[in-house]
Amino acid sequence: MDSVIDKLTEIEVAASAIVSHAEKEKEELDREFEERRKEFDRELEEKTNEKIKKIQEELERDKKAMLDGQESASSDLIMSLQDEYETRHTEYAKEILQRITEV
């Protein structure tokens, strides 16, 4: 009977040691997982920031190109209006004078 109790005690001690070892391994795996998760988060944040920066740069280039195009179109329109004025200012002045004197 004592040998059965001794064997059961041995088994319980061995089981406790196995559970203790498993808990330590679990803690180690939890730490390792946490480190990997943090590394993943850091890398993802870096990649996201790089993509955001590229998008912002692209938008800035597009905005500049659009503004340059509008500026060029505005300059062309102003020059066209100035040329028209230079060629027809006398005619415009006569029309204005005629309208004033009709009243």
Side-chain angles (χ1 to χ4, degrees), residues 29-45:
L29 289 173
D30 285 346
R31 266 185 280 182
E32 189 176 312
F33 174 77
E34 185 64 24
E35 288 174 13
R36 286 183 181 179
R37 186 190 60 78
K38 285 180 181 178
E39 181 64 21
F40 174 80
D41 288 348
R42 186 189 62 76
E43 289 175 5
L44 182 62
E45 186 174 353

Side-chain angles (χ1 to χ4, degrees), residues 47-62:
K47 288 177 183 177
T48 302
N49 288 338
E50 287 175 18
K51 286 181 181 180
I52 288 172
K53 184 177 177 182
K54 286 179 183 178
I55 290 170
Q56 286 175 333
E57 289 171 353
E58 185 177 321
L59 288 173
E60 189 64 31
R61 280 193 305 271
D62 291 349

Side-chain angles (χ1 to χ4, degrees), residues 15-25:
S16 293
I18 291 170
V19 168
S20 176
H21 180 70
E23 287 175 352
K24 287 179 184 177
E25 283 186 3

Side-chain angles (χ1 to χ4, degrees), residues 40-94:
F40 174 80
D41 288 348
R42 186 189 62 76
E43 289 175 5
L44 182 62
E45 186 174 353
E46 280 182 13
K47 288 177 183 177
T48 302
N49 288 338
E50 287 175 18
K51 286 181 181 180
I52 288 172
K53 184 177 177 182
K54 286 179 183 178
I55 290 170
Q56 286 175 333
E57 289 171 353
E58 185 177 321
L59 288 173
E60 189 64 31
R61 280 193 305 271
D62 291 349
K63 181 179 80 172
K64 184 175 178 354
M66 184 186 299
L67 289 174
D68 289 346
Q70 288 177 347
E71 184 178 333
S72 176
S74 296
S75 294
D76 291 346
L77 179 60
I78 289 171
M79 289 178 69
S80 172
L81 291 172
Q82 284 177 337
D83 288 344
E84 182 179 347
Y85 174 77
E86 291 296 325
T87 57
R88 298 183 64 195
H89 74 281
T90 304
E91 185 180 326
Y92 290 146
K94 287 179 183 178

